[in-house]
Amino acid sequence: MSRKFSRLLVAGAAGFIGSSFVRLLRRERPDTELWALDKLTYAGNPANLAEFENQPGFRFLRGDICDGELVNEIAGQVDAMVNFAAETHVDRSLMDPFAFVNTDVLGAAVLCEAARAHGHGVFLLVSTDEVYGDVPGGRSTEEDPLRPRSPYAASKAGGELIARSYAVSHGLPLLVTRGSNNYGPYQYPEKIIPVHITNAIDDLPLPLYNDRSAVRDYVYVEDHCRAIDLVLHEAPLGEVYNVGTGRETSGNEVAQVVLELLGKPASLIEYVADRPGHDYRYALDTSKLEELGWSPRVDFRTGMERTVRWYQEHQDWWRPLKSGEYWDYYRRNYRPQQADATR
Ligand code: NAD
């Protein structure tokens, strides 16, 4: 099986993973015209797509996936849609859950409705391993129940369930990917890896939640995008695919690697009050995706070397993002352990 698209809508294309996906498709599938839809929230950045501006075969549209009229109009002019658009930061979802419910659930429903109305051949929803919740032992398979534990994860699971209901009730040709934690260039500096890299460059403390046992499976963003590309073009309709590397990495190890690559002292590590409802472990069984023909190409060390170098060389990209609202959020979120004890 191999699908071809003449015009594809990439929603959430100005974010971290969406823009990486656009980069991959422009390079590998130049015959597919791409329309990029993005609301440009604080996490969306036109600079992430600047290289494609005025390029034939690429068009940027500013708009909200919750806007049914707009989405319907666009859906009538494309063959298929891939949705990256979401509110994505767990810590922010603890402070403002409604933005997550709105975009990640209602927005997904609006896209499903438009895909159905226009008889699209595929609708691919980019989801996350966080929908499985905390995984103390073993590895999550695609058949496991969804047990989300943060408003972010619950909203993503809600979007998946709406999409699944469209597949069952209306025959929506749905594909879902559940990726593990991504890292790489262009990641907004609120997620742990770019927080650590950009803080270390500036000799600022590297915050680590004080329960040191949390582990994540970090997949290099381009590997994740290759998996989405493979699923979009080759997977049987109706299937769900986990995307991850199988390597378990603690926050402590992230900090150590960053400090080592930048030649900074371990004294920069600062333990902060733990996140409420913290999932301590995610772990994916990725055999289904491997059977489809995917394996990660970039190991953690190589990916971190590339990522650290990118942030060192692109300070003009991230410095303007670390200002104003960013620091308000940052101070609300990271409370040094000592302050926590005296609350
Ligand atoms: P991001 O926060 O960097 O980007 C999200 C993008 O969506 C931004 O450009 C933002 O402007 C846009 N957006 C937000 N609300 C919108 C709306 N209502 N309408 C249109 N655009 C809107 O996120 P990311 O890390 O690139 O994640 C992309 C997708 O991948 C998300 O669906 C996320 O759940 C999923 N995912 C992320 C990770 C990760 O580690 N970052 C892992 C697995 C899955």
Side-chain angles (χ1 to χ4, degrees), residues 51-169:
E51 64 198 274
F52 307 109
E53 216 178 298
N54 302 322
Q55 224 188 54
F58 179 81
R59 182 175 177 197
F60 179 77
L61 303 149
R62 183 170 190 179
D64 189 333
I65 60 165
C66 300
D67 180 343
E69 219 172 289
L70 173 72
V71 168
N72 187 49
E73 195 189 316
I74 295 171
Q77 301 174 67
V78 300
D79 306 333
M81 303 187 285
V82 179
N83 185 42
F84 293 88
E87 288 294 335
T88 63
H89 192 37
V90 175
D91 290 326
R92 285 187 192 255
S93 80
L94 299 165
M95 300 172 188
D96 178 15
F98 301 117
F100 288 71
V101 175
N102 205 39
T103 291
D104 302 9
V105 185
L106 176 63
V110 168
L111 292 169
C112 290
E113 179 57 26
R116 181 196 67 77
H118 293 282
H120 285 182
V122 178
F123 173 63
L124 192 149
L125 185 65
V126 178
S127 188
T128 164
D129 64 352
E130 304 200 20
V131 295
Y132 295 117
D134 192 38
V135 184
R139 293 185 172 277
S140 307
T141 74
E142 289 83 353
E143 304 306 317
D144 283 0
L146 306 188
R147 292 200 175 97
R149 287 160 33 99
S150 70
Y152 163 63
S155 303
K156 292 297 291 185
E160 274 201 40
L161 292 179
I162 283 286
R164 197 191 296 179
S165 78
Y166 264 78
V168 174
S169 309

Side-chain angles (χ1 to χ4, degrees), residues 245-263:
T245 69
R247 183 189 200 275
E248 296 190 19
T249 305
S250 67
N252 236 343
E253 187 180 350
V254 167
Q256 303 292 354
V257 171
V258 167
L259 293 171
E260 186 202 322
L261 290 172
L262 287 167

Side-chain angles (χ1 to χ4, degrees), residues 274-325:
D274 202 8
R275 165 192 282 173
H278 202 161
D279 291 340
Y280 291 109
R281 180 173 179 266
Y282 303 123
L284 293 174
D285 178 331
T286 56
S287 49
K288 189 170 166 187
L289 184 64
E290 283 156 26
E291 276 164 35
L292 199 64
W294 179 90
S295 57
R297 291 184 187 163
V298 181
D299 63 52
F300 184 66
R301 180 79 197 186
T302 309
M304 284 300 288
E305 284 169 3
R306 285 188 198 174
T307 306
V308 166
R309 200 178 325 124
W310 189 87
Y311 280 88
Q312 278 182 304
E313 291 171 357
H314 293 83
Q315 301 197 19
D316 55 333
W317 181 87
W318 59 264
R319 284 204 183 277
L321 303 176
K322 292 185 84 168
S323 63
E325 191 273 343

